[in-house]
Amino acid sequence: MGYVALYRKFRPPVFEDVKGQDHIVTTLKNQIKSDRVGHAYLFCGTRGTGKTSVAKILARAVNCEHPVDGSPCGECDMCKEIAAGNSMNVIEIDAASNNGVDNVREIIDEVSYSPTKGKKKVYIIDEVHMLSTGAFNALLKTLEEPPSYVMFILATTEVQKLPITILSRCQRYDFHRITIDTIEARLREVVDAEGIKVEERALRYVAKTADGSMRDSLSLLDQCIAFNYGEELTYDKVLNVLGAVDTEVFSRLFSALYTQDVNGALTLLADIVIQGRELSQFVNDFVWYLRNLMLVQASDQMEDVIDISSDNLAALKEQANSADIDTILRYIRVFSELSSQIRYASQKRILIEITLIKLCKPQMDDGEGAFEDRIRILEQHDEDNGKLLKGIQNGQVAVSLSGAGPVSGQQMGTPKAKKVLDRAVPEDIKKVVSNWPGLLMRMDNPMKTYLQKAKLSLGNDDTLQIVFDNKQLAEKYSKGESQQELQDFLDDATGKHIVFETRFLEAQQVFEENYVNLQAINFDIVTEDSETE
Ligand SMILES: [Zn+2]
């Protein structure tokens, strides 16, 4: 048997094993027990929170011959058939790749046949928001009055994209992000079951990084284990694999901001970009660092709440004691805001740069707290200015203070508004290829879904070729908004301008025969320069 990803292997078989969604599980179990199951369910929530797992359990439970406390028994013929994927009663459809009217018509035609075995035909439509308008319309009538033996379970990460007509026909369940504690506890069960030694802090870090998604946490754990096969998984190894930033870097960033060292802060960010760190994650982690600073300053008994090593804790305390709480709070506010903006931004680096500059130069910022920060800086820089400060605090000379700006761009060493990136060299393409799984993980849907199956190759003039097995997708990413979105993503992730082309692999073509398979060969591209040596 081949390797089975942890999140598949440890998919909960019964409702009791679903973590962090008690409100949903209890309701569904009660419906099964009282035999009052609905005909259309809508599961919403961010990825990896258990929507598909619960859908599968529900599909088995309604077909089970003798459910146990609302969960499928796992023993009867139907349970076994469905679990083995041999049953015609559970039909899973991924709307991301089957989003047309014809796909839905197929379903509707099939709905009219009652199941030959078991009680219900269950259609699980994943990423349902991706259906075309025509497809939604085709689905409506069936969704409203399906035959008694049919049940729909729709799942989506983006419920706001669903037409109201669909929403109104479904029982809606909102899946919550799962807490770090719950994820950590589950990871512990998994590694124990697998007989893998993992440091507690390492697990905690993985749980934290997964950001409320159980599936992500298991995928991240999978990666970490794969890179350190047969060894104990330590905190440091996890940081390495996940590309996390050492706390020491955050400490330096904080110092740079606190002392208005614009160059220091921007150089540090440039290093992070060069190292290929994921910038949203970097911002999130910095918020955690600031939160830790705040906690350490607030109390001496925070060791348990802050999961860092004792060395780092000592350093944190030192930094916390030299900083003032209002400034820390302001930074937390600013970076939390940045973290929600940056998620979907294409120019992540620039957004961070703007924030760093604003924090170093509070006179540029009219936001809440900037005023206090200006005063703090004045106090730092000019202790003789006590009298003036008093006046400022009383609001008497506020005008003269704002007259202190504006500072010229040159003086601040700010980057140009839109940076022109250097054209990627083969080395950069190589980086894209070797980091491809990681890059995919960072993409948002639908781009992520579309690109998952794409293969990478090298074209003329150091272009990256992205080869799809689907003509529409190859076209979609060759022009317009989608092309731009992918371009921005790649450029932003690498800090280089990655020139790419999309290609379509005809059904009868074999990828390896037509393209250089970059992913397979773990290659070294020989550049012109090194050849002439
Ligand atoms: Zn059963």
Side-chain angles (χ1 to χ4, degrees), residues 326-395:
D326 289 333
T327 308
I328 299 177
L329 289 175
R330 175 163 130 77
Y331 289 180
I332 291 179
R333 213 162 43 227
V334 171
F335 279 98
S336 305
E337 216 169 274
L338 176 64
S339 132
S340 59
Q341 285 173 356
I342 205 171
R343 244 194 147 107
Y344 303 106
S346 52
Q347 298 288 356
K348 297 187 201 298
R349 179 177 180 171
I350 294 178
L351 277 183
I352 302 178
E353 284 170 343
I354 293 171
T355 304
L356 296 181
I357 292 164
K358 273 188 175 171
L359 287 179
C360 287
K361 304 276 170 190
Q363 60 269 38
M364 287 177 58
D365 189 1
D366 297 326
E368 202 186 336
F371 183 66
E372 287 74 12
D373 218 12
R374 279 177 238 170
I375 292 175
R376 175 182 70 76
I377 291 156
L378 279 180
E379 277 172 344
Q380 267 176 3
H381 286 202
D382 194 351
E383 289 184 14
D384 300 333
N385 242 345
K387 265 188 204 161
L388 173 66
L389 271 174
K390 254 211 155 88
I392 292 170
Q393 275 155 340
N394 295 334

Side-chain angles (χ1 to χ4, degrees), residues 64-67 72-76 78-79:
C64 177
E65 284 154 28
H66 25 71
C73 71
E75 308 273 309
C76 69
M78 280 313 292
C79 277

Side-chain angles (χ1 to χ4, degrees), residues 382-443:
D382 194 351
E383 289 184 14
D384 300 333
N385 242 345
K387 265 188 204 161
L388 173 66
L389 271 174
K390 254 211 155 88
I392 292 170
Q393 275 155 340
N394 295 334
Q396 291 158 2
V397 277
V399 180
S400 72
L401 183 76
S402 57
V407 183
S408 80
Q410 203 181 12
Q411 200 177 335
M412 295 187 309
T414 55
K416 315 257 176 323
K418 177 139 186 172
K419 225 176 161 137
V420 179
L421 298 173
D422 294 335
R423 168 90 195 253
V425 296
E427 203 51 34
D428 300 311
I429 306 264
K430 179 178 168 182
K431 221 162 44 175
V432 171
V433 176
S434 58
N435 289 323
W436 190 243
L439 291 174
L440 281 171
M441 273 202 338
R442 289 183 221 158
M443 289 180 190

